[in-house]
Amino acid sequence: MTNRTAQLQRATSESSIELSLDLDGTGASDIHTSVPFFDHLLTAFAKHSLTDLRVRATGDTDIDVHHTVEDVGIVLGQAIREALGDKSGISRYGDALVPLDEALVQAVVDISGRPYLVHGGEPAGFEFHLIGGHFTGSMVRHVFEAIAFNAGLTLHVTVVAGRDPHHIAEAEFKAFARAFRQAKAHDPLVSGIPSTKGAL
């Protein structure tokens, strides 16, 4: 089995990012993005997807966390795509329904090579809430867009229930992590590329 790893760097006038991951890890993480709540979400993603993840990011957070968070999402998606390689032998599909206290989120992943995001169910006003005083709720969807479009994932995320913005956001990332964990897993019954097209 080839190593499914990637190590990328990205620098713009708005942010500087170094990221490495191992899709066949244990969920170990070492994450410092300069955005504390985003660190929390990425740590949860690594833990529950069994992806080893290291991130170092700095950016113009004195203006807003937006640029740094989006750019980390872009690089994470690019790294996932690179580490997946030709996707031979993977399960391809994954789904998860994850609770966090009153919040309940469903995520479904298809490692399709076709970027698409369907995202809904967050309660009215969630997108305006400052979680931890710095992370706008609207960034959750934005990060999923960046990851899905750069990794080549079809991703559906649906908030079934929830009241507390922290719980909702964290449940979204944990549900995505669990679904991605299934989708990236090697399936002993799959031979070659799991697509009638012969490519993903």
Side-chain angles (χ1 to χ4, degrees), residues 151-176:
L153 306 179
T154 298
L155 172 60
H156 288 243
V157 179
T158 304
V159 178
V160 179
R163 177 188 54 79
D164 182 276
H166 183 136
H167 293 166
I168 293 167
E170 188 171 338
E172 289 189 73
F173 268 77
K174 287 178 175 178
F176 168 55

Side-chain angles (χ1 to χ4, degrees), residues 79-94:
I80 288 171
R81 188 182 202 116
E82 179 179 320
L84 284 168
D86 68 1
K87 303 163 189 150
S88 179
I90 64 169
S91 293
R92 178 178 169 177
Y93 299 100

Side-chain angles (χ1 to χ4, degrees), residues 1 8 15 30 54 69 78 88 117 122 125 128 154-155 166 168 170 175-176 181 198:
M1 184 189 305
L8 297 178
S15 69
D30 181 10
R54 183 183 186 277
V69 171
Q78 291 171 341
S88 179
L117 174 68
E122 291 175 345
F128 304 118
T154 298
L155 172 60
H166 183 136
I168 293 167
E170 188 171 338
F176 168 55
R181 174 177 165 178

Side-chain angles (χ1 to χ4, degrees), residues 12-121:
T12 71
S13 61
E14 297 172 338
S15 69
S16 178
I17 297 157
E18 297 180 6
L19 184 149
S20 61
L21 60 74
D22 182 351
L23 294 181
D24 300 307
T26 62
S29 61
D30 181 10
I31 298 168
H32 299 279
T33 68
S34 71
V35 182
F37 187 68
F38 192 39
D39 291 355
H40 180 60
L41 296 177
L42 291 176
T43 299
F45 167 75
K47 183 72 171 180
H48 295 284
S49 67
L50 296 182
T51 298
D52 289 349
L53 181 61
R54 183 183 186 277
V55 183
R56 290 291 183 274
T58 57
D60 55 2
T61 55
D62 55 316
I63 296 173
D64 192 353
V65 304
H66 188 108
H67 297 145
T68 301
V69 171
E70 179 183 22
D71 289 352
V72 170
I74 289 169
V75 177
L76 177 56
Q78 291 171 341
I80 288 171
R81 188 182 202 116
E82 179 179 320
L84 284 168
D86 68 1
K87 303 163 189 150
S88 179
I90 64 169
S91 293
R92 178 178 169 177
Y93 299 100
D95 69 274
L97 189 63
V98 172
L100 178 53
D101 294 349
E102 88 296 342
L104 182 65
V105 177
Q106 182 181 37
V108 182
V109 170
D110 176 8
I111 300 176
S112 61
R114 296 186 306 278
Y116 205 93
L117 174 68
V118 178
H119 179 271

